[in-house]
Amino acid sequence: MDAPDSPGPPGSTDTDGMLAEQLLRLTRRLHRIQSRQLEPIDITPAQFRLLRTVASYDAAPRMADLARRLDVVPRAVTTLVDALEASGRVRRAPDPDSRRVVRVEITDEGRATLRSLRSARRAAAEEILAPLTADQREVLGGLLSALVDGMPERRC
């Protein structure tokens, strides 16, 4: 039996640990680059995620829908919506069928911000992927899809 820190065959605990560390380092690097790209737009990564999520709905979502989709507590959505509303990127709207329900609508300013953010995201991806050839990028895309698609949905 191998010692916990000794290198082993592919798929061994040590190899998996090294892969996990590399993925974490890459994620941190991507987050730093993306944050740097988002800073001039004056939006946080969490606000960007919420804005993208609001825009992905055909009709204005309820706050509870957003919390569920983002897998966060409703209070977190309230804080994000507050900030995005203060910047004019979203607005709260009453639900036509229930006075107790609040919907979140993206504004024209929010749509313009999303266009800028998509450009920033592409620039961050280009910076991260610059060392890879087109073939390597295709392989990486397939591997990442296999990892993402193969993960069971879990709430933390």
Side-chain angles (χ1 to χ4, degrees):
M1 177 179 237
D2 288 343
D5 292 334
S6 69
S12 72
T13 303
D14 189 54
T15 301
D16 291 349
M18 289 187 325
L19 286 171
E21 180 61 29
Q22 288 175 306
L23 287 170
L24 287 171
R25 287 176 48 211
L26 181 61
T27 299
R28 286 186 206 116
R29 183 171 174 222
L30 183 57
H31 184 74
R32 279 193 308 272
I33 291 169
Q34 186 173 7
S35 292
R36 189 177 68 233
Q37 298 280 349
L38 297 178
E39 194 173 336
I41 302 170
D42 194 30
I43 193 168
T44 67
Q47 291 169 355
F48 175 29
R49 186 170 174 229
L50 180 78
L51 193 60
R52 272 192 349 250
T53 303
V54 170
S56 73
Y57 281 88
D58 291 332
R62 298 174 307 144
M63 300 276 274
D65 297 331
L66 293 169
R68 197 170 19 263
R69 173 86 61 95
L70 295 170
D71 198 20
V72 298
V73 297
R75 178 71 187 123
V77 170
T78 300
T79 301
L80 293 170
V81 169
D82 287 347
L84 289 170
E85 189 173 40
S87 67
R89 293 174 172 135
V90 299
R91 68 177 153 259
R92 286 177 169 90
D95 184 284
D97 301 323
S98 173
R99 292 184 349 196
R100 296 186 314 177
V101 174
V102 174
R103 299 219 173 240
V104 180
E105 298 176 338
I106 190 166
T107 63
D108 289 341
E109 177 66 26
R111 285 185 194 85
T113 299
L114 271 181
R115 285 189 295 276
S116 297
L117 292 170
R118 286 183 183 121
S119 295
R121 185 172 234 197
R122 275 192 299 276
E126 286 172 16
E127 186 174 335
I128 283 282
L129 299 172
L132 302 180
T133 66
D135 288 343
Q136 289 171 323
R137 289 177 189 205
E138 189 173 328
V139 169
L140 178 61
L143 293 171
L144 291 173
S145 291
L147 289 173
V148 170
D149 296 343
M151 290 177 52
E153 289 294 321
R154 289 187 355 195
R155 288 186 70 103
C156 297

